[in-house]
Amino acid sequence: FTAMQAMLARRQTTAAPERQAEIDDRMNRLARETGSYLKLAASRATSLRTVAAARQTASNVALWDARRRSLALRTMRMRDHDDLARFGDIILADFENLVELTAEDGLSARERALTAIANYRHLTFFATLLALLIAGAIAYLLTRSMTRPLAEASRAAKRIASGELDVPIDDLGRR
């Protein structure tokens, strides 16, 4: 938008009609680009306040440009120039407000992302802890189910080796 204001000042100091036409074309292109950027800002905004600010700014830029075009058809008086300058100041304030709101949206999104990351870390930590506890319990049960029959067989072998030949051997491990 400030480029549009600068082009308007340049146009006012240019007397050559062909140069004025070039400046008008450039200002028209800048107006379209500014409107496109503001529509993009509104579509990507994450809060209703920012959407409203982007739309309001776009509307004011369009009104300023329409006023500029109507004044370009005749010789601009100092009062017309002052009116456009005052309206331009309002639009610049709109842009500043839009930038502030967009920054607030960005900070809010960052805070939400950091909170989600922290929650994910906690969830991952507790899920890993739970998995380790379950794995430990399974390992304990598997180890116990394998070592108990071996321990019984070892005791029976010792009793047989000591001469006790009528030792009963459990076959609970077979299935």
Side-chain angles (χ1 to χ4, degrees):
F1 180 74
T2 54
M4 291 171 66
Q5 289 179 310
M7 294 299 287
L8 179 63
R10 187 176 302 157
R11 186 186 191 286
Q12 291 171 339
T13 60
T14 302
E18 62 279 349
R19 182 70 181 127
Q20 286 180 343
E22 288 174 18
I23 292 172
D24 286 340
D25 288 343
R26 175 78 175 127
M27 287 175 49
N28 291 338
R29 191 170 43 252
L30 285 170
R32 284 191 305 274
E33 289 173 1
T34 302
S36 295
Y37 291 142
L38 288 168
K39 284 179 185 177
L40 181 64
S43 71
R44 292 187 177 174
T46 58
S47 72
L48 293 177
R49 292 181 329 160
T50 306
V51 170
R55 288 180 179 160
Q56 179 64 46
T57 304
S59 174
N60 284 345
V61 168
L63 289 173
W64 183 92
D65 189 52
R67 177 78 174 140
R68 176 207 47 99
R69 287 175 195 226
S70 71
L71 293 173
L73 298 176
R74 59 181 169 85
T75 304
M76 192 181 295
R77 297 182 307 251
M78 188 55 128
R79 184 174 55 94
D80 297 329
H81 181 270
D82 290 344
D83 288 345
L84 273 180
R86 277 193 297 278
F87 196 32
D89 290 341
I90 291 169
I91 292 170
L92 290 175
D94 287 347
F95 272 107
E96 287 177 16
N97 182 47
L98 179 60
V99 168
E100 288 176 17
L101 291 173
T102 302
E104 285 178 22
D105 288 352
L107 290 174
S108 295
R110 181 180 183 272
E111 287 300 318
R112 286 191 305 273
L114 290 174
T115 300
I117 289 169
N119 290 340
Y120 179 74
R121 282 184 181 161
H122 289 116
L123 177 66
T124 302
F125 172 76
F126 289 117
T128 302
L129 185 63
L130 179 64
L132 287 173
L133 289 174
I134 290 171
I138 290 172
Y140 172 76
L141 292 174
L142 285 174
T143 302
R144 194 167 163 213
S145 70
M146 286 189 273
T147 57
R148 182 179 288 161
L150 290 174
E152 287 179 21
S154 177
R155 277 193 300 274
K158 283 182 187 177
R159 287 173 57 198
I160 291 172
S162 68
E164 191 179 329
L165 299 176
D166 61 343
V167 175
I169 298 178
D170 244 354
D171 65 345
L172 292 176
R174 286 186 170 173
R175 292 199 177 160

